Amino acid sequence: MVLQLVNDSSSECRQAVADCLMALFRNVGVEKIHLLYDYMVRWIGGGDGDECAQSLQLKRTSAQLFGIFIDARSDYLKNKSSSSGSDATNDLITLLHGVLNTEAALATA
């Protein structure tokens, strides 16, 4: 589904996939949410400093997923912040800034 979210030529199809992912995020249990969240964090983190176009596309994809995830499960971020002692929302904002910085660096290269 994630590949269709970013690659499908039809905006209606991409929206339907986003709606489906939102329903999935809302209905899966906490263990699966932890797993999905960890994948998105890994994807947005890139590949150990690899700034190639493929890494950037993965970061963009993860940013899109985080947007859907936040709409569906803002409660998870609140609980994650409370249990970890750090602010998960600020951590996410920092990661998203990294994506923007990578895009800017590639645009000027």
Side-chain angles (χ1 to χ4, degrees):
M1 282 197 305
V2 173
L3 292 175
Q4 265 190 306
L5 178 68
V6 295
N7 293 325
D8 202 288
S9 59
S10 167
S11 62
E12 291 174 356
C13 184
R14 289 190 309 269
Q15 183 58 52
V17 170
D19 293 343
C20 189
L21 286 167
M22 187 171 295
L24 177 78
F25 288 148
R26 285 184 177 146
N27 291 303
V28 297
V30 174
E31 285 183 28
K32 294 291 183 194
I33 284 294
H34 286 308
L35 181 65
L36 293 169
Y37 182 86
D38 288 343
Y39 273 113
M40 289 185 294
V41 168
R42 277 188 243 150
W43 290 348
I44 207 165
D48 297 326
D50 181 14
E51 300 302 332
C52 67
Q54 183 178 10
S55 177
L56 180 58
Q57 182 60 39
L58 190 58
K59 290 178 182 190
R60 286 179 183 154
T61 300
S62 182
Q64 268 187 285
L65 284 173
F66 266 117
I68 296 167
F69 184 83
I70 290 167
D71 284 345
R73 294 298 297 261
S74 60
D75 62 310
Y76 178 80
L77 289 177
K78 290 175 189 170
N79 291 338
K80 187 164 182 58
S81 294
S82 297
S83 65
S84 69
S86 70
D87 187 349
T89 305
N90 283 337
D91 294 344
L92 178 56
I93 289 169
T94 300
L95 290 169
L96 291 172
H97 278 289
V99 172
L100 294 174
N101 290 338
T102 300
E103 286 189 4
L106 288 175
T108 59

